[in-house]
Amino acid sequence: MHLYEEDKRRFLKADIISTVEFNSTGELLATGDKGGRVVVFQREQESKNQPHRRGEYNVYSTFQSHEPEFDYLKSLEIEEKINKIRWLPQQNAAYFLLSTNDKTVKLWKISERDKRPEGYNLKDEDGRIRDPTTITALRVPVLRPMDLMVEATPRRVFSNAHTYHINSISVNSDYETFMSTDDLRINLWNLEITNRSFNIVDIKPVNMEELTEVITAAEFHPHQCNTFVYSSSKGSIRLCDMRASALCDNHSKFFEEPEDPSNRSFFSEIISSISDVKFSHSGRYLMTRDYLTVKVWDLNMESKPLETYQVHDYLRSKLCSLYENDCIFDKFECVWNGSDSVIMTGSYNNFFRMFDRNTKRDVTLEASRENSKPRAILKPRKVCVGGKCRKDEISVDSLDFSKKILHTAWHPYENIIAVAATNNLYIFQDKVN
């Protein structure tokens, strides 16, 4: 288990990690932060004399992806904060990733250079153009080894297509297209074409006063390139098929759990808003995260979720104070492990939760400085409500709501997880025997 500290000084707001994402092989891990930076970590290769070293992630490349901008027409500041990162499947030696802030998606290429050409005919080694009349012999350029350099270069910029803030991007399984989603619209882009996109969902009413819900997240199906889902602030999920029509305003399937009238309260609508939606790797299930629960849906059953897991039910009595300090609007993400058998999501006090779908066992773990020593074993934590707490339990009244785990990622094949706790990135892995 490792802890990567972005900054030893008092941490700056710009250092707050805003997204975490493994690439399709798990060899690379990217984080984006509020300062518009992307940091890519690369996994160490296993060495014969230190077989346990494999699994350590070291900084591979750091680059500024987005800068703060100002929209003069709307008098709006556009934050540089990276909202989402999505990797493209690797096709050659280089890596490609998409990163987005509120308005602009960028495609970045990350490549290595360890050789440089020498022996040009028309210019000197320092780059000055030679006088053609002095050239008497033809030189054959040669490649000389040099220190390894990792370069991040912007390849495409997809901009000017969103009136509202982009909350999610998703790469299609055809590897040719991706979608970007804001509060009211979803746009489909070709990775090669930056000057136009196709609007595939538009829920904006003619009269904005009639607006009742917004889109909170969207994702493509992992195998069917025509299928995608999007979730709403009303707690519903719509599955759409792009073969049915060019504008997918009519959904193919609609997933929503009817509300229990006995549980109805002032906060019902706020806490039912879905903050994240993820297809399982198999493509059979959907996972959604709302404020208090994680739900797993079977794509073949729209009436109710297959499984519901309580993330922090002890906060039900605290909704009033969570509303006052704005925590009730926090957007927690959720992730599947590689085999779709365990799901993980974050909570407060730097706690994160894991639910085993087969055994129905769950565990609360903590990402903190105290247990950030390499090879430290995480102890399960328990929260007690009211009454007396045992010595290893923490009272619900002493939870720190400023420490929250919103962003997590799971290695696609192994039990390695990345957890972003404010400005620190924690990487935990299974105990090596």
Side-chain angles (χ1 to χ4, degrees):
M1 187 241 125
H2 310 285
L3 160 69
Y4 297 96
E5 288 182 54
E6 293 266 298
D7 202 339
K8 287 280 187 280
R9 298 162 294 140
R10 63 184 185 80
F11 83 86
L12 304 164
K13 194 177 171 202
D15 296 332
I16 296 173
I17 298 172
S18 52
T19 182
V20 187
E21 189 77 11
F22 279 102
N23 75 338
S24 57
T25 61
E27 289 303 301
L28 299 180
L29 169 68
T31 65
D33 65 23
K34 283 198 168 178
R37 286 183 303 258
V38 172
V39 181
V40 179
F41 298 89
Q42 186 182 42
R43 195 175 181 191
E44 283 285 308
Q45 292 305 313
E46 194 167 337
S47 59
K48 288 189 176 69
N49 49 359
Q50 286 180 307
H52 295 323
R53 287 280 296 183
R54 178 158 173 75
E56 290 201 6
Y57 283 81
N58 294 317
V59 175
Y60 178 62
S61 173
T62 303
F63 58 94
Q64 188 73 29
S65 172
H66 288 69
E67 302 278 358
E69 292 173 56
F70 191 78
D71 184 337
Y72 291 97
L73 292 175
K74 298 196 178 78
S75 292
L76 270 183
E77 280 185 53
I78 301 167
E79 272 191 307
E80 65 272 40
K81 174 190 161 205
I82 309 291
N83 292 344
K84 283 283 184 292
I85 288 173
R86 288 289 178 264
W87 290 91
L88 271 61
Q90 197 177 353
Q91 312 281 4
N92 50 32
Y95 302 98
F96 288 87
L97 64 81
L98 289 168
S99 66
T100 184
N101 68 348
D102 284 342
K103 298 287 180 188
T104 306
V105 184
K106 294 186 180 181
L107 174 67
W108 289 88
K109 176 187 181 182
I110 301 167
S111 52
E112 295 182 357
R113 269 222 330 236
D114 61 354
K115 292 183 177 66
R116 67 165 186 267
E118 274 183 14
Y120 289 100
N121 286 288
L122 297 175
K123 57 183 181 182
D124 290 329
E125 299 310 326
D126 54 6
R128 281 197 304 256
I129 301 291
R130 290 170 66 187
D131 179 4
T133 57
T134 62
I135 300 170
T136 54
L138 188 67
R139 289 196 289 183
V140 178
V142 289
L143 288 173
R144 296 247 185 268
M146 59 179 255
D147 290 341
L148 178 69
M149 229 170 77
V150 180
E151 293 180 313
T153 45
R155 296 311 299 267
R156 307 220 180 359
V157 177
F158 306 90
S159 56
N160 302 328
H162 286 278
T163 313
Y164 307 96
H165 292 345
I166 298 173
N167 55 45
S168 50
I169 49 176
S170 178
V171 180
N172 201 345
S173 58
D174 62 10
Y175 306 151
E176 285 182 11
T177 54
F178 74 93
M179 65 181 173
S180 55
T181 307
D182 67 27
D183 294 345
L184 299 179
R185 296 191 179 104
I186 300 177
N187 290 335
L188 181 70
W189 301 83
N190 187 304
L191 282 160
E192 301 292 325
I193 301 166
T194 57
N195 60 359
R196 69 169 181 268
S197 61
F198 296 96
N199 180 228
I200 52 174
V201 171
D202 186 349
I203 64 164
K204 185 180 178 184
V206 180
N207 178 4
M208 279 296 270
E209 286 176 8
E210 291 167 10
L211 184 70
T212 57
E213 61 182 333
V214 294
I215 302 170
T216 54
E219 189 178 58
F220 271 119
H221 190 283
H223 316 302
Q224 299 165 7
C225 62
N226 52 284
T227 308
F228 67 94
V229 292
Y230 67 92
S231 58
S232 90
S233 56
K234 273 194 160 174
S236 59
I237 309 108
R238 291 169 174 84
L239 180 94
C240 300
D241 188 337
M242 292 192 289
R243 296 172 302 187
S245 69
L247 192 62
C248 302
D249 281 359
N250 296 326
H251 47 266
S252 313
K253 292 190 174 183
F254 182 80
F255 303 87
E256 188 175 42
E257 187 169 28
E259 195 193 1
D260 179 0
S262 63
N263 277 345
R264 179 123 190 96
S265 74
F266 170 75
F267 305 108
S268 295
E269 207 161 287
I270 302 173
I271 63 172
S272 67
S273 176
I274 292 172
S275 54
D276 197 17
V277 57
K278 292 264 171 52
F279 274 105
S280 62
H281 294 83
S282 67
R284 169 76 190 267
Y285 302 104
L286 262 181
M287 168 167 57
T288 59
R289 169 75 209 255
D290 57 40
Y291 191 64
L292 295 176
T293 65
V294 172
K295 293 173 180 160
V296 175
W297 303 78
D298 187 323
L299 284 192
N300 300 332
M301 185 170 79
E302 298 169 58
S303 56
K304 62 176 194 289
L306 203 60
E307 301 150 24
T308 300
Y309 301 98
Q310 300 295 337
V311 178
H312 36 218
D313 205 42
Y314 45 78
L315 295 183
R316 216 174 266 281
S317 59
K318 295 246 172 287
L319 293 177
C320 211
S321 54
L322 289 164
Y323 178 75
E324 283 165 6
N325 64 13
D326 277 355
C327 283
I328 201 164
F329 302 107
D330 284 335
K331 292 177 168 49
F332 291 96
E333 293 170 10
C334 51
V335 285
W336 301 87
N337 71 340
S339 61
D340 299 335
S341 60
V342 182
I343 57 184
M344 171 173 66
T345 192
S347 180
Y348 293 103
N349 209 64
N350 278 359
F351 288 170
F352 57 98
R353 303 269 284 139
M354 287 187 176
F355 303 95
D356 188 311
R357 297 180 58 213
N358 300 325
T359 62
K360 301 298 177 208
R361 282 169 43 205
D362 65 277
V363 65
T364 302
L365 299 168
E366 183 181 8
S368 73
R369 293 277 175 92
E370 285 66 59
N371 51 30
S372 66
K373 295 173 185 65
R375 311 275 168 261
I377 293 176
L378 291 181
K379 294 185 186 70
R381 302 297 308 262
K382 282 208 163 50
V383 177
C384 71
V385 184
K388 277 199 162 179
C389 291
R390 297 203 192 98
K391 74 172 194 324
D392 58 341
E393 292 182 337
I394 180 166
S395 159
V396 68
D397 296 316
S398 53
L399 294 175
D400 186 343
F401 291 106
S402 66
K403 294 179 175 173
K404 48 192 100 168
I405 306 282
L406 301 176
H407 315 287
T408 56
W410 203 308
H411 188 289
Y413 311 113
E414 298 178 43
N415 278 337
I416 299 176
I417 58 169
V419 175
T422 321
N423 63 320
N424 295 324
L425 176 69
Y426 295 83
I427 295 180
F428 302 100
Q429 65 182 45
D430 248 359
K431 207 161 63 214
V432 184
N433 296 327

